[in-house]
Structure formats: C-alpha cells, structure tokens
Amino acid sequence: MSDITAVGGTTTATSGPLTGALGPGGAMGKDEFLKMLVAQLQNQDPMNPMQGQDLAVQLAQFSSVEQLIQLNANYADQAASATALAQSISNNGALSAIGRHVLAAGDQVEIPADGDAADVGVTFSVGDAGGRATLTVYDAAGEEVGTRALGYIGGGKQTATLGTAAAGLEPGRYSYAVSVVDSKGNDVPVQTFITGTVDGVRYTSDGAVLTSGELTMGVGSVVEVTN
C-alpha cells in the first residue's frame, strides 16, 4: 500500500505494503481502504504515479481480507446455531429425566423431614485398591457437623449410610466428603456423587438443572439414569 506523506505542503505517495498500516483506530475496513485509495490517487505525484502492479497487489490483499471477514462471520453464525441445537437437545433430555433415579457428580446430600437421617445413603467411587475411609458431613457454611469411620473400603463404586455422622442434624441439604487412606498412608482419590429421583427441571443461564427435593444437579454432571 502506498503511504501518503505531506512534505512542505505537498502530498506525495510512497510505496509500502498494506499490512502493518494500522493506526490507533484498529483494523482497516473496506470503507476506510477505499477512502484511502481515492485520496492516494488524487494526491500522487504526477511525475511518479502509482505503478499498476502495486495497485493490483493491494486490491488482491483487500479482497483476501474481505473474504476472511466473511468466513469468520459465517463461522460465528454456524457456532451459534450449533450451540442453540445442543441447548435444545439438553433441555429435552432434562425433561425426559423427570421421575427417574439419577446419579450425578457432586457432593450434596439431603436429610429428609421424615425417616431416619442415619439411613440416608451416599454413593462414591474409590480409586486404586481402596483403603480406610472416613465420611464427613458439612453444613451450608462449610462447617463440619458430623463424621464417622467407614472402615476398610475397596476400590470402585461404593455406597454407605450417614449413620452417626447425621446424629442431631436438622432436615435439609448438606454436603459430604469421603477421605480414603491406603496401607502406606497415602491419600486415595475419591469421586462423590449426588443421588435422587428427579422431580423437576429448572432452566438457568448455565443450562438445564435437575432437582430432587432440595438437591440440584446440572444436566452435564449426570452420569447415570435409571427407572
């Protein structure tokens, strides 16, 4: 691209590439390019006019940039359509889960108003060969409100009841954790789950959320659905 330079009140044109000619306003659009081209043609030195091959190269560069802009716009439209389709599929899947028992990644557990809190069960997956496990229950503020030793737990998916860890707790939603230590004193990885029968669906800015009593589970966190 030829650059326009004012010297002693006379405007002259010097030849240079289009790229790198961005001013403080950011990237050059096609309207800005055409305005600059017209100004360049009007102010070029009659004794040293723009060479035809320079103009052809610059026009080719501009055409390539315009095509890239159009491709980016088309890609953005396709991405938005794909996102909307995925959201629709997720919403339909959430509705079909109502009335079914689900297992989802998470650490929530609910103590119901009726029944024995000690009989409330939790599900978790233990890595490696397992080890000695401890179950801990926390309130909404993250404070420990109950704990009990589970003894030796093998590897794989396991279930346990809250037992004495729920002693004296009021009905409501809590969180829990299971820590496992192997025979060498090393921590064993544990994945906790939320379990419950879906009784509703709530739509949020982050997508559909399944509800089971006071428990909430994002559709993306669900790993198992059973009748």
Side-chain angles (χ1 to χ4, degrees), residues 17-103:
L18 175 63
T19 58
L22 304 180
M28 180 183 297
K30 59 184 179 181
D31 292 337
E32 290 79 10
F33 175 84
L34 291 175
K35 289 179 181 179
M36 189 176 70
L37 178 61
V38 171
Q40 183 174 345
L41 293 174
Q42 290 176 340
N43 295 283
Q44 63 180 324
D45 185 352
M47 303 303 296
N48 184 26
M50 181 191 300
Q51 296 183 5
Q53 61 268 28
D54 291 339
L55 179 60
V57 169
Q58 293 167 8
L59 289 176
Q61 290 175 337
F62 175 69
S63 178
S64 298
V65 170
E66 188 172 24
Q67 290 176 8
L68 288 174
I69 292 174
Q70 186 61 45
L71 285 175
N72 287 337
N74 292 340
Y75 176 78
D77 291 341
Q78 292 174 358
S81 298
T83 299
L85 177 60
Q87 187 65 51
S88 177
I89 293 174
S90 175
N91 292 343
N92 290 335
L95 290 174
S96 67
I98 293 179
R100 298 189 177 186
H101 189 78
V102 298
L103 181 72

Side-chain angles (χ1 to χ4, degrees), residues 30-200:
K30 59 184 179 181
D31 292 337
E32 290 79 10
F33 175 84
L34 291 175
K35 289 179 181 179
M36 189 176 70
L37 178 61
V38 171
Q40 183 174 345
L41 293 174
Q42 290 176 340
N43 295 283
Q44 63 180 324
D45 185 352
M47 303 303 296
N48 184 26
M50 181 191 300
Q51 296 183 5
Q53 61 268 28
D54 291 339
L55 179 60
V57 169
Q58 293 167 8
L59 289 176
Q61 290 175 337
F62 175 69
S63 178
S64 298
V65 170
E66 188 172 24
Q67 290 176 8
L68 288 174
I69 292 174
Q70 186 61 45
L71 285 175
N72 287 337
N74 292 340
Y75 176 78
D77 291 341
Q78 292 174 358
S81 298
T83 299
L85 177 60
Q87 187 65 51
S88 177
I89 293 174
S90 175
N91 292 343
N92 290 335
L95 290 174
S96 67
I98 293 179
R100 298 189 177 186
H101 189 78
V102 298
L103 181 72
D107 61 357
Q108 300 175 52
V109 60
E110 181 181 9
I111 295 180
D114 54 348
D116 190 346
D119 293 334
V120 174
V122 293
T123 300
F124 51 95
S125 180
V126 180
D128 302 330
R132 300 195 67 81
T134 301
L135 170 66
T136 306
V137 179
Y138 303 90
D139 63 14
E143 297 292 333
E144 180 181 318
V145 291
T147 184
R148 83 176 183 96
L150 299 179
Y152 178 84
I153 295 290
K157 189 165 71 172
Q158 307 289 342
T159 60
T161 58
L162 296 183
T164 56
L169 298 184
E170 296 293 329
R173 184 175 62 179
Y174 296 83
S175 62
Y176 76 99
V178 177
S179 59
V180 179
V181 179
D182 64 17
S183 59
K184 296 181 180 180
N186 299 317
D187 291 333
V188 176
V190 177
Q191 170 68 63
T192 56
F193 297 99
I194 305 171
T195 60
T197 300
V198 178
D199 55 21

